[in-house]
Amino acid sequence: MITQFELKEVREERALCWSGTSEEFGDVEVHYSADLGPMGSTCARAQGSVIPTAFLIGWSVFDDKPRLTGAQLQLDGEEVKLRRKPWAVRRKGRALRITYDGKEYRCRATRRKQYVLTRPGLAVTVTESGIGKNRRRVLVLIDGSAVPVDISLAVLFSGVNRAQLTLGGAFRTGFSTVFNFSMDNVGRV
């Protein structure tokens, strides 16, 4: 069974948000902003009327979206284990592995603005599209039998910097980090 729903970008005073409604999972929102996390960090939060709250805390150099390096994930207040191979060359090897409640998930980039969250019997494809104010959207395509936890994890990563899930994105992220840190330290002795 394949179902889908769409989230639209909403600009709030101090954060960006994807917001929409699913027939099966009710209201769904993904917030991401530097103001949501502890000092020096950024975070993304997925929440809704039916789905549990998922919270990813990381850090970012240029973007409001947290990076996957050193990120911590909580689902309904419970710590979730994240693993990935930062030196893997293929996209399949670079996938983020998530373990929650005895289930193994994988989040894998398929394109720059598209990723897939999978577990046995389920694939949730999330695609970002649109340019400009009031035109940006996230399409969530669910292939299989999904439960609210699956949707919460899947939409959460629309508020996360997923560049490190591709080899090219990992190189760009590494160079931007080195360049930013070197610029911060210019003139300091």
Side-chain angles (χ1 to χ4, degrees):
M1 181 171 100
I2 297 176
T3 59
Q4 68 181 23
F5 64 93
E6 186 177 81
L7 304 175
K8 296 179 182 177
E9 184 179 60
V10 178
R11 294 186 181 268
E12 297 177 343
E13 184 178 321
R14 302 178 90 186
L16 292 174
C17 173
W18 296 111
S19 181
T21 303
S22 163
E23 288 182 25
E24 193 175 347
F25 300 102
D27 294 332
V28 177
E29 291 183 348
V30 180
H31 297 264
Y32 51 98
S33 170
D35 294 339
L36 295 174
M39 284 292 270
S41 68
T42 58
C43 71
R45 179 180 64 227
Q47 61 190 21
S49 54
V50 176
I51 66 170
T53 300
F55 198 70
L56 187 129
I57 301 171
W59 62 277
S60 178
V61 177
F62 298 115
D63 201 4
D64 281 341
K65 292 183 175 183
R67 288 185 182 180
L68 294 172
T69 302
Q72 298 173 343
L73 176 61
Q74 294 178 358
L75 189 55
D76 260 353
E78 183 180 326
E79 192 75 25
V80 177
K81 185 176 180 182
L82 298 175
R83 297 179 327 276
R84 66 183 180 87
K85 297 176 183 176
W87 301 107
V89 176
R90 296 183 182 192
R91 286 184 187 204
K92 187 175 181 179
R94 298 192 68 76
L96 179 68
R97 291 158 182 81
I98 305 162
T99 304
Y100 178 74
D101 198 30
K103 294 180 184 172
E104 291 284 331
Y105 295 90
R106 286 182 186 240
C107 183
R108 180 177 53 87
T110 53
R111 293 193 308 238
R112 185 172 161 266
K113 292 190 172 191
Q114 183 179 61
Y115 63 94
V116 178
L117 181 85
T118 59
R119 69 163 169 78
L122 175 72
V124 181
T125 304
V126 180
T127 307
E128 294 178 27
S129 65
I131 298 173
K133 199 174 190 178
N134 301 326
R135 293 189 178 157
R136 292 179 34 114
R137 300 196 183 335
V138 170
L139 178 65
V140 180
L141 183 66
I142 306 162
D143 186 5
S145 180
V147 295
V149 169
D150 302 331
I151 300 306
S152 186
L153 287 172
V155 299
L156 173 69
F157 291 100
S158 65
V160 174
N161 183 335
R162 302 173 309 276
Q164 294 165 315
L165 296 180
T166 66
L167 189 59
F171 280 122
R172 286 190 305 275
T173 302
F175 284 123
S176 69
T177 301
V178 169
F179 178 73
N180 187 52
F181 285 145
S182 65
M183 292 305 292
D184 286 345
N185 293 325
V186 172
R188 292 184 188 171
V189 179

